[in-house]
Amino acid sequence: MTNILVTGGAGYIGSHACKALKRAGYTPVTFDNLVTGWKDAVKFGPFEQGELTDRARLDEVFATYKPAAVMHFAALSQVGEAMSEPGRYWANNVGGSLCLIEAAVAAGCLDFVFSSTCATYGEHDNVVLDENTPQVPLNAYGASKRAVEDILKDFGAAYGLRSVIYRYFNVAGADPEGEVGEFHQPETHLIPLMIQAIRGERAGLTVFGTDYDTPDGTCIRDYVHVCDLVDAHVLGLKWLEQGKESRVFNLGTGSGFSVMEVIEHSRAVTNKDVPHSIGDRRAGDCTKLVSGSTRAGEELGWEPKRSTLDQMIADAWNWHQNGHYET
Ligand code: UDP
C-alpha cells in the first residue's frame, strides 16, 4: 500500500482526509503534535507524534514510511487568535511548514498537497474570488498561508517539488458515519458554536457585527462539507500521480450565507431556537468570502455531494450528539 504522510491527521479536516485516503486504498500516516488534535481521531493508519519544527523527527518519519506524498493540514487556524498572537502563526504555520517542506525534498518526496485558505484573498468589493484574485490577507492567519504558498512555488522551481494548493472556504459538517467529526477546544467556529448554544452547552452565540455592507449586515461565507473537501484531496493526489503540473484550486461551492442565514437554517434543521446576541465585529474578519471559481470541477472532476448548508448542519448536529474525543 502507498503511504501518505498526513500532518494534522488528528485534527478535524486531517482525520476526515485519513478516512478518505484509506477508503481510496492508501495508508495515511498521521504526524501530529496533539496540541489541537486528538489521538482518538487517528483511526485509519499509523500515528507519529512530533513537532513540524523538529527536523530530526521528520527525517526519521520520512525514512520509516517512505511516503509517496505529503498532505499538509497541521496549522493554527483561528482568525481572532492570529490577530492577537501573530508570532505563533508565523512560527508554527510558516516556520513549521518550511521545515516540513525541506524534509520532504531531502527525502525525495516531491508531491505535496497543501491546505491554504480563502483568507489569503482578503477584502475585495464585488470581485469574483477565483484563483487569480490578488492575495491581500487581512490577518496573520491568511498571511502565513500565503507565505507557505510562496515557499512551495520557490521549492517547485528549485527542486521540482510539485504541489496542489487548496484554498478552502468555510469547512463544516462531519463524517455521516460518525467515526470522526469537529471537536475543537476551545471552539471558535460558527456552526459548532451554534450547535453548542442550541444544546445548552454554552450561554449563547454572539453574532460578530451587524454593520457589514451585506443585505442583513452580517458577514457572508461559502460553506463546504468536510467530506467533499477531503474527496478533492484524493483527486489532488491522483493529479500529482499522473505527473501533472503544480496547481491552485479554490474549494468552495459558490453559494454565500450570512451569519443570520446560518442561524435561520440551523433553527429549521434542528427545530430548536438558537440563543444568540449581537456583538461587535471580530478584528480580521472579511465582509464576504465566496468562491467564484469552477476550476476544481472542470480540471479535477470534483463534485461536491453533501455541501448544502442544511446537510452540513444536519451532519454536524448528528455528530455533536456524541461528538467529542477523550484524548
Ligand atoms: N462568527 C460569529 N460568531 C462566532 C463565530 C463566528 O458571528 O462566535 C462569524 C464570523 O465573524 C464569520 C463567520 O461567523 O463571519 C464564520 O466564522 P468562523 O470563525 O466559523 O470561520 P472563518 O470565516 O473565520 O474562517
Side-chain angles (χ1 to χ4, degrees):
M1 291 247 274
T2 306
N3 290 335
I4 307 297
L5 185 65
V6 183
T7 74
Y12 169 43
I13 302 171
S15 60
H16 288 78
C18 288
K19 179 163 178 165
L21 284 168
K22 186 170 181 202
R23 195 188 299 120
Y26 298 95
T27 300
V29 178
T30 290
F31 185 86
D32 200 299
N33 63 6
L34 298 185
V35 169
T36 56
W38 303 94
K39 179 96 175 24
D40 290 352
V42 183
K43 299 182 170 177
F44 311 103
F47 174 58
E48 295 288 343
Q49 189 163 354
E51 293 291 337
L52 286 176
T53 47
D54 184 346
R55 176 63 192 271
R57 181 82 182 102
L58 284 171
D59 286 347
E60 196 177 273
V61 170
F62 275 104
T64 305
Y65 295 97
K66 300 183 177 45
V70 177
M71 277 193 189
H72 179 30
F73 296 96
L76 300 173
S77 62
Q78 295 172 24
V79 170
E81 187 183 70
M83 295 302 286
S84 55
E85 300 174 70
R88 285 183 63 212
Y89 279 70
W90 286 96
N92 188 83
N93 291 4
V94 183
S97 296
L98 176 59
C99 188
L100 171 70
I101 293 165
E102 286 185 318
V105 168
C109 178
L110 297 178
D111 287 0
F112 204 96
V113 180
F114 176 57
S115 310
S116 187
T117 169
C118 62
T120 60
Y121 292 124
E123 194 87 349
H124 295 272
D125 282 347
N126 301 318
V127 170
V128 169
L129 299 180
D130 65 20
E131 293 82 355
N132 297 316
T133 304
Q135 292 172 288
V136 196
L138 290 192
N139 54 61
Y141 168 56
S144 70
K145 290 285 187 175
R146 187 188 60 178
V148 178
E149 291 193 16
D150 288 343
I151 294 171
L152 289 170
K153 218 175 300 160
D154 289 345
F155 275 62
Y159 308 113
L161 183 80
R162 284 178 314 124
S163 55
V164 168
I165 294 173
Y166 288 122
R167 295 190 187 137
Y168 302 167
F169 285 70
N170 284 59
V171 188
D175 171 26
E177 290 160 8
E179 285 192 280
V180 283
E182 183 167 19
F183 182 53
H184 295 113
Q185 265 188 336
E187 188 52 75
T188 65
H189 293 106
L190 180 62
I191 290 176
L193 283 176
M194 222 173 39
I195 288 174
Q196 289 175 357
I198 295 172
R199 289 169 53 84
E201 293 165 4
R202 63 175 59 242
L205 176 83
T206 305
V207 176
F208 291 150
T210 52
D211 59 348
Y212 286 93
D213 185 15
T214 62
D216 66 19
T218 62
C219 292
I220 295 177
R221 296 288 181 272
D222 176 343
Y223 293 86
V224 55
H225 198 293
V226 64
C227 292
D228 289 333
L229 187 96
V230 299
D231 283 351
H233 286 64
V234 175
L235 294 171
L237 211 50
K238 309 255 181 232
W239 172 279
L240 292 169
E241 280 170 6
Q242 290 160 12
K244 294 186 180 167
E245 64 194 10
S246 295
R247 199 77 169 135
V248 178
F249 298 97
N250 277 0
L251 291 181
T253 65
S255 299
F257 294 92
S258 72
V259 175
M260 290 316 256
E261 286 173 323
V262 175
I263 290 174
E264 278 313 312
H265 278 256
S266 301
R267 199 196 312 274
V269 169
T270 65
N271 207 18
K272 295 184 192 307
D273 271 346
V274 184
H276 65 277
S277 58
I278 306 301
D280 293 337
R281 288 184 178 203
R282 180 174 68 178
D285 268 342
C286 299
T287 307
K288 180 176 175 183
L289 289 167
V290 177
S291 179
S293 168
T294 50
R295 184 186 285 182
E298 285 162 7
E299 298 186 16
L300 288 173
W302 182 56
E303 289 175 36
K305 297 184 181 73
R306 297 185 78 84
S307 290
T308 62
L309 185 57
D310 289 356
Q311 186 69 66
M312 287 183 269
I313 294 167
D315 286 349
W317 174 254
N318 288 337
W319 155 257
H320 272 88
Q321 305 314 308
N322 304 302
H324 62 277
Y325 302 112
E326 298 294 332
T327 61

